[in-house]
Amino acid sequence: MYNFIGSAGDVLEDDPVGRLKVFVYELPSKYNKKILQKDPRCLAHMFAAEIFMHRFLLSSAVRTLNPEEADWFYTPVYTTCDLTPNGLPLPFKSPRMMRSAIQLISSNWPYWNRTEGADHFFVVPHDFGACFHYQGSITIPPYAPPQKMHTHLIPDKTPRSIFVYFRGLFYDVGNDPEGGYYARGARAAVWENFKNNPLFDISTEHPTTYYEDMQRAVFCLCPLGWAPWSPRLVEAVVFGCIPVIIADDIVLPFADAIPWEEIGVFVDEQDVPKLDTILTSIPPEVILRKQRLLANPSMKQAMLFPQPAQAGDAFHQVLNGLARKLPHERSVFLKPGEKSLNWTAGPVGDLKPW
Amino acid sequence: MKLSTLQQSYINRRTNSFRGSTQLDSSTDGTVKSPATIFWLVLHGVCCLISLVLGFRFSRLVFFFLFSTSTNNIYTVPFNSDAGITIPVTTQLNHVNSMNRTAVVAASRVVVGRHGIRIRPWPHPDPVEVMKAHGIIERVQREQKALFGVKNPKTVIAVTPTYVRTFQALHLTGVMHSLMLVPYDLIWIVVEAGGVTNETASLIAKSGLRTIHVGFHQRMPNSWDARHKVESLMRLHALRIVRKERLDGVVMFADDSNMHNMELFDEIQNVKWIGAVSVGILLHSVDAAEVSSMVQKEGEEDIMPMPVQGPACNGTDKLVGWHTFNSLRYSGRSAVYIDDRAPVLPRKLEWSGFVLNSRLLWKDVDDKPEWIKDLDALDGDGEEIENPLSLLKSTNVVEPLGSCGRHVLLWWLRVEARTDSKFPARWIIDPPLDITVPSKHTQWPDAPPELPSNDEKEKVFAGTEELSNKHTTKTKTSRSRRSRSKRKHDTKVIGVQ
């Protein structure tokens, strides 16, 4: 019923079982369990993916207990479970945690040194991870609670009457009161240009009908904040609202499986003042096509981390992505003595044992 | 005072915001503070004092100018956390970044640091674009309807009894606009008491709908009881037209003073043979105090909710009975005549709460269900038809609509103008009424008779002219006074809309 151009859509429905094997390292609990015990809020914030991924892999069919036959190695480190009293994450300990974990596995198991870590993967769901653009990086979506979203679904025939919808901060008064730093000025530009425009339903309120409102909107703005991504992207895809992505440097999740160009609208940050012109000049057929693609249930499923895991969800998309990267090139397996990455570089503080 | 707020905001920012990694490391590790940190703290304190004196975030600016290195890697946004200390960038990210960027990501166009907020010179909506946006929304909604709405929608046949009176234009325009918004094919059958008039015809011609305008040989009586009976007869007359013309669709009764929810028309598409919806009863009560005193007499402590008539269902959504209107509460206090200052009560179940498949009315149709009586059987029966349930042999075949009566999809109201109502400008009735009586009951002094009196026309309530009661002597408004002096010739139809 939905015609997907290219192989993108079919790839979403692949089953990774049988195509790869993953070995999960047993790290001391100070890297994962103890952290979670200290702050159970980590399970609900947007970086919770790393925790859920660990749990999923432990019980998944792709897991192998024999490291010799593993294609990929997973190191369970909960690097972002460090929240402020308000629940905002502090990613600043992550480099040290990561380094310390790498030192541990490279000294206790031979598999890291064999390939200089090229067949190892980590789940690092924030900017730091995007920086880790070494050979094996797969961008995953931020965590958005699937059950909560499903309880707020409204009937499909409710007419979409909001043109553009956005709820969130435009200025970060606590950290950047003068503006210009937060979101590189893009969110502030959205507010200043369109606060008087009736087509734009934008404000900083936190309505209880946030999810329902998204289902009544044609376009949902997903501008960058302090980081380029946000759970809004996931929410927009799940609720069928066309995401308007305003982030020049964003790397979108599962970019090789989901045709983001075809389902979303990309706007340069410098074009924000012309946002209304851009959006109203999109031909209606294109808009209808984007909505049809968004309505594909496998697309929505691929963005979610349901508990327990279901077929086609984000866990499986990660594994599919890993499977697509197989087989490893021969050059990955280094001869002894060769070093291609220097994991010890960085400020001295980061090398302190954690 | 100021010091404390500054300290407070300083403390807040320390705990809430992103903190510099160097600060964090030193605090969590508990190692001895290095000279660098001590130096920063001292400088920080000095800057705080300077800020106190100068009154703005001087320190922050100074440090920004001194220390902002113009790096152009990503993620090196300086976090201005504590007042005055600019964290010199999360440099470890830099290093990892530059090394590992072997072959993967293309060069980023992003520049760090402070960006200006781009505002265009005229940040207001452009009307052409607004219209385009509405066009887009309309197209999207049409698609939604096509995908998720009713497939094969049926024609809606609306039956409206009406007659010429003061508030006719008010009520009829309301119904007309509702019907014009219905997204399905519509046939509007307007039955007019007292015969077809030009006034009504011109009113409904504005709708652009397919209308069938017929007259009914009786005039509207003045008492509400009699009026309800005549209305029922008028509706049956309309049903006979449906039968004669073999109109196909869903018949609903749109009384001209009712208010309809647009979802009603979507809901009635689901009817198979005969359905019932919930009707909210709006009792027009003249006197709020009167109503509240009635409430207190009844001994209820809560505010009287709106009475609702309609189907009653059990837990499995099957029809088990009817919520009807309980008129005992109003016994003795309801309006008898049009003009009474008392609430007008509906019947137990109003016609407007029912919808029928038009095929139920057709003659010689094979697949008609056996529980429907023929319309001809009612002719000349003298039997009073209060609602369409009388057309059925058994009432348990009625389908409850609107999630089993839980949604109120229309509201019933009867309100008519009274003797001391004021007429709006240019409200004229055509053809001129038979009885016109000059009234002398206003508080304004009579104007000197500058015009010949045989050209004068007065307005009198329609429907009261056949009576002998006190109402005929009244009706004078300031408007007709003015019109008396202005108009020199016969009345014309002047639209009221």
Side-chain angles (χ1 to χ4, degrees):
Chain A
M1 183 173 161
Y2 298 111
N3 300 324
F4 252 112
I5 297 186
S7 63
D10 319 330
V11 162
L12 284 176
E13 282 152 35
D14 285 346
D15 188 8
V17 176
R19 294 168 62 204
L20 81 166
K21 290 246 169 275
V22 175
F23 176 74
V24 183
Y25 282 119
E26 284 276 336
L27 289 186
S29 58
K30 71 166 180 171
Y31 289 100
N32 34 54
K33 287 209 195 63
K34 281 233 183 78
I35 298 180
L36 188 55
Q37 273 168 358
K38 265 198 294 185
D39 191 353
R41 286 180 303 171
C42 290
L43 276 174
H45 76 316
M46 50 188 153
F47 303 131
E50 55 185 3
I51 304 169
F52 291 127
M53 196 73 204
H54 183 202
R55 294 187 181 172
F56 167 70
L57 283 171
L58 283 176
S59 55
S60 153
V62 303
R63 183 189 182 190
T64 168
L65 294 170
N66 177 8
E68 292 300 329
E69 62 167 11
D71 298 308
W72 288 99
F73 294 82
Y74 172 62
T75 317
V77 192
Y78 298 169
T79 54
T80 43
C81 191
D82 185 12
L83 303 180
T84 67
N86 283 353
L88 295 170
L90 300 168
F92 293 101
K93 282 218 207 86
S94 334
R96 285 176 54 216
M97 258 173 89
M98 198 66 97
R99 289 223 163 110
S100 151
I102 290 170
Q103 289 208 304
L104 192 73
I105 57 178
S106 55
S107 44
N108 292 0
W109 285 277
Y111 307 105
W112 177 273
N113 294 331
R114 186 173 67 164
T115 57
E116 275 296 316
D119 55 354
H120 286 57
F121 74 94
F122 304 82
V123 176
V124 193
H126 59 93
D127 305 42
F128 183 49
C131 278
F132 258 167
H133 276 155
Y134 77 115
Q135 195 121 2
S137 76
I138 297 177
T139 320
I140 62 171
Y143 177 70
Q147 296 88 337
K148 189 169 168 218
M149 290 201 281
H150 281 130
T151 52
H152 286 271
L153 286 175
I154 62 177
D156 275 328
K157 63 182 171 107
T158 314
R160 289 187 186 265
S161 46
I162 302 174
F163 192 61
V164 177
Y165 186 76
F166 176 76
R167 289 289 182 273
L169 290 178
F170 299 102
Y171 293 94
D172 186 351
V173 187
N175 295 313
D176 175 34
E178 292 98 10
Y181 289 110
Y182 179 57
R184 291 197 281 270
R187 285 196 185 196
V190 168
W191 174 251
E192 298 298 341
N193 280 299
F194 301 113
K195 59 188 176 190
N196 293 321
N197 194 323
L199 298 174
F200 283 67
D201 186 353
I202 56 180
S203 91
T204 52
E205 286 179 355
H206 283 279
T208 47
T209 53
Y210 176 61
Y211 288 149
E212 288 86 344
D213 292 341
M214 279 185 116
Q215 294 169 75
R216 284 180 32 230
V218 177
F219 291 106
C220 287
L221 293 184
C222 305
L224 74 163
W226 285 115
W229 47 264
S230 86
R232 266 181 203 89
L233 196 57
V234 174
E235 289 159 358
V237 171
V238 169
F239 293 128
C241 181
I242 300 175
V244 179
I245 298 164
I246 310 172
D248 286 346
D249 52 351
I250 192 170
V251 178
L252 288 164
F254 305 137
D256 51 346
I258 297 183
W260 290 105
E261 286 284 336
E262 304 197 18
I263 59 178
V265 178
F266 288 82
V267 177
D268 289 343
E269 289 164 29
Q270 63 184 13
D271 288 334
V272 164
K274 294 187 276 183
L275 191 58
D276 54 349
T277 313
I278 295 173
L279 292 179
T280 52
S281 59
I282 304 178
E285 310 82 52
V286 172
I287 292 179
L288 291 178
R289 180 159 179 276
K290 287 185 198 283
Q291 290 187 320
R292 266 199 298 277
L293 291 172
L294 278 170
N296 186 357
S298 38
M299 189 91 78
K300 300 186 205 276
Q301 186 74 326
M303 304 292 289
L304 297 174
F305 294 96
Q307 302 290 315
Q310 293 162 6
D313 64 8
F315 298 117
H316 290 88
Q317 300 308 327
V318 173
L319 296 179
N320 281 336
L322 288 173
R324 280 195 289 274
K325 291 194 193 292
L326 292 175
H328 297 294
E329 297 169 358
R330 306 230 68 222
S331 61
V332 157
F333 296 92
L334 297 172
K335 303 180 224 356
E338 242 183 82
K339 283 201 167 294
S340 70
L341 300 173
N342 185 0
W343 285 102
T344 54
V348 176
D350 273 359
L351 285 176
K352 285 201 203 116
W354 179 82
Chain B
M1 187 61 191
K2 200 169 171 189
L3 180 64
S4 65
T5 51
L6 263 179
Q7 295 286 48
Q8 190 64 36
S9 60
Y10 165 66
I11 292 168
N12 282 346
R13 282 197 219 113
R14 274 200 80 102
T15 50
N16 286 359
S17 54
F18 289 106
R19 287 175 273 176
S21 50
T22 51
Q23 274 317 80
L24 194 57
D25 284 352
S26 56
S27 53
T28 50
D29 274 3
T31 54
V32 174
K33 288 198 180 9
S34 61
T37 42
I38 293 179
F39 170 68
W40 283 118
L41 277 175
V42 166
L43 212 48
H44 173 97
V46 167
C47 291
C48 276
L49 286 171
I50 300 176
S51 311
L52 264 180
V53 170
L54 290 176
F56 61 89
R57 274 179 283 237
F58 163 78
S59 46
R60 182 192 298 259
L61 284 176
V62 164
F63 282 105
F64 175 61
F65 286 131
L66 286 179
F67 292 108
S68 71
T69 52
S70 60
T71 52
N72 53 1
N73 284 313
I74 348 179
Y75 308 121
T76 53
V77 178
F79 294 146
N80 289 338
S81 52
D82 308 289
I85 297 190
T86 310
I87 306 304
V89 173
T90 49
T91 50
Q92 69 276 20
L93 297 177
N94 257 349
H95 289 252
V96 172
N97 222 2
S98 48
M99 276 178 356
N100 294 340
R101 292 187 152 279
T102 45
V104 187
V105 178
S108 157
R109 320 166 260 155
V110 172
V111 174
V112 291
R114 189 151 184 216
H115 289 70
I117 302 171
R118 294 185 189 86
I119 306 179
R120 66 188 193 203
W122 179 248
H124 292 286
D126 173 49
V128 172
E129 280 167 18
V130 172
M131 284 316 297
K132 274 203 258 183
H134 282 290
I136 290 174
I137 292 177
E138 207 239 316
R139 183 71 191 82
V140 165
Q141 289 185 356
R142 228 177 330 138
E143 186 72 16
Q144 278 184 286
K145 234 189 169 56
L147 284 174
F148 307 112
V150 179
K151 318 279 182 223
N152 309 320
K154 300 184 226 172
T155 309
V156 174
I157 303 169
V159 171
T160 304
T162 184
Y163 67 104
V164 172
R165 76 268 199 203
T166 313
F167 279 4
Q168 183 198 30
L170 173 70
H171 294 315
L172 209 55
T173 314
V175 171
M176 187 167 78
H177 286 167
S178 296
L179 295 178
M180 281 157 75
L181 285 174
V182 171
Y184 310 109
D185 291 332
L186 192 106
I187 302 175
W188 192 14
I189 304 182
V190 179
V191 185
E192 188 168 355
V196 172
T197 61
N198 286 345
E199 168 124 335
T200 315
S202 62
L203 205 58
I204 63 180
K206 289 182 200 287
S207 67
L209 301 167
R210 180 177 157 197
T211 53
I212 301 176
H213 185 190
V214 291
F216 192 66
H217 50 85
Q218 245 182 297
R219 298 192 98 129
M220 272 297 193
N222 199 41
S223 71
W224 284 108
D225 260 350
R227 184 164 283 203
H228 281 125
K229 292 192 178 86
V230 170
E231 278 180 10
S232 298
L233 291 173
M234 286 161 75
R235 293 187 187 105
L236 285 175
H237 187 62
L239 293 183
R240 284 191 195 96
I241 295 176
V242 171
R243 181 176 65 170
K244 192 170 90 161
E245 309 282 335
R246 287 178 93 84
L247 299 176
D248 193 13
V250 178
V251 179
M252 49 95 56
F253 300 98
D255 297 345
D256 57 4
S257 55
N258 288 355
M259 269 151 282
H260 307 90
N261 185 341
M262 284 296 117
E263 290 174 24
L264 170 71
F265 300 100
D266 295 325
E267 189 65 25
I268 61 179
Q269 295 285 329
N270 299 330
V271 81
K272 198 160 170 308
W273 289 116
I274 174 165
V277 294
S278 285
V279 182
I281 306 294
L282 301 174
L283 288 172
H284 173 67
S285 175
V286 176
D287 210 348
E290 214 180 86
V291 173
S292 54
S293 65
M294 284 197 311
V295 172
Q296 272 144 26
K297 278 192 209 127
E298 252 52 286
E300 286 172 356
E301 67 272 353
D302 55 341
I303 309 169
M304 236 175 4
M306 175 181 77
V308 173
Q309 283 182 349
C313 295
N314 64 3
T316 57
D317 284 346
K318 279 172 64 64
L319 184 72
V320 293
W322 300 95
H323 292 298
T324 60
F325 184 74
N326 177 12
S327 50
L328 290 177
R329 183 180 290 148
Y330 299 93
S331 55
R333 274 188 241 106
S334 71
V336 175
Y337 292 104
I338 306 294
D339 246 17
D340 287 351
R341 294 173 65 97
V344 179
L345 302 182
R347 307 276 92 177
K348 284 213 161 57
L349 283 174
E350 280 287 325
W351 279 80
S352 40
F354 293 92
V355 286
L356 317 165
N357 185 338
S358 63
R359 283 172 199 251
L360 284 178
L361 306 161
W362 290 2
K363 271 201 271 217
D364 312 323
V365 174
D366 287 335
D367 54 347
K368 232 164 54 162
E370 44 86 31
W371 39 257
I372 183 85
K373 294 184 203 161
D374 199 51
L375 269 186
D376 291 334
L378 305 165
D379 268 345
D381 213 346
E383 184 186 323
E384 189 178 294
I385 313 283
E386 198 184 276
N387 51 53
L389 292 180
S390 315
L391 296 171
L392 310 175
K393 291 183 194 141
S394 66
T395 57
N396 56 4
V397 291
V398 177
E399 304 148 38
L401 298 173
S403 74
C404 212
R406 282 186 278 271
H407 283 164
V408 172
L409 292 173
L410 69 152
W411 295 270
W412 179 97
L413 171 69
R414 285 286 181 270
V415 63
E416 297 297 340
R418 294 206 327 263
T419 55
D420 54 355
S421 294
K422 303 279 183 283
F423 282 83
R426 296 176 288 131
W427 198 320
I428 294 174
I429 295 175
D430 178 60
L433 302 166
D434 294 349
I435 302 176
T436 55
V437 178
S439 166
K440 291 190 172 53
H441 290 271
T442 57
Q443 61 260 46
W444 299 280
D446 278 344
E450 69 263 45
L451 293 170
S453 55
N454 56 4
D455 286 333
E456 294 171 23
K457 298 278 189 289
E458 307 292 337
K459 292 178 219 27
V460 180
F461 271 91
T464 62
E465 69 272 13
E466 55 170 342
L467 312 169
S468 52
N469 60 30
K470 54 182 160 65
H471 299 284
T472 51
T473 56
K474 292 226 197 329
T475 57
K476 183 60 182 122
T477 66
S478 55
R479 183 50 30 205
S480 55
R481 279 194 63 94
R482 240 173 288 157
S483 58
R484 194 208 310 168
S485 55
K486 284 202 177 111
R487 271 184 305 124
K488 296 198 169 57
H489 41 68
D490 288 346
T491 54
K492 286 206 249 293
V493 175
I494 297 183
V496 141
Q497 297 76 14

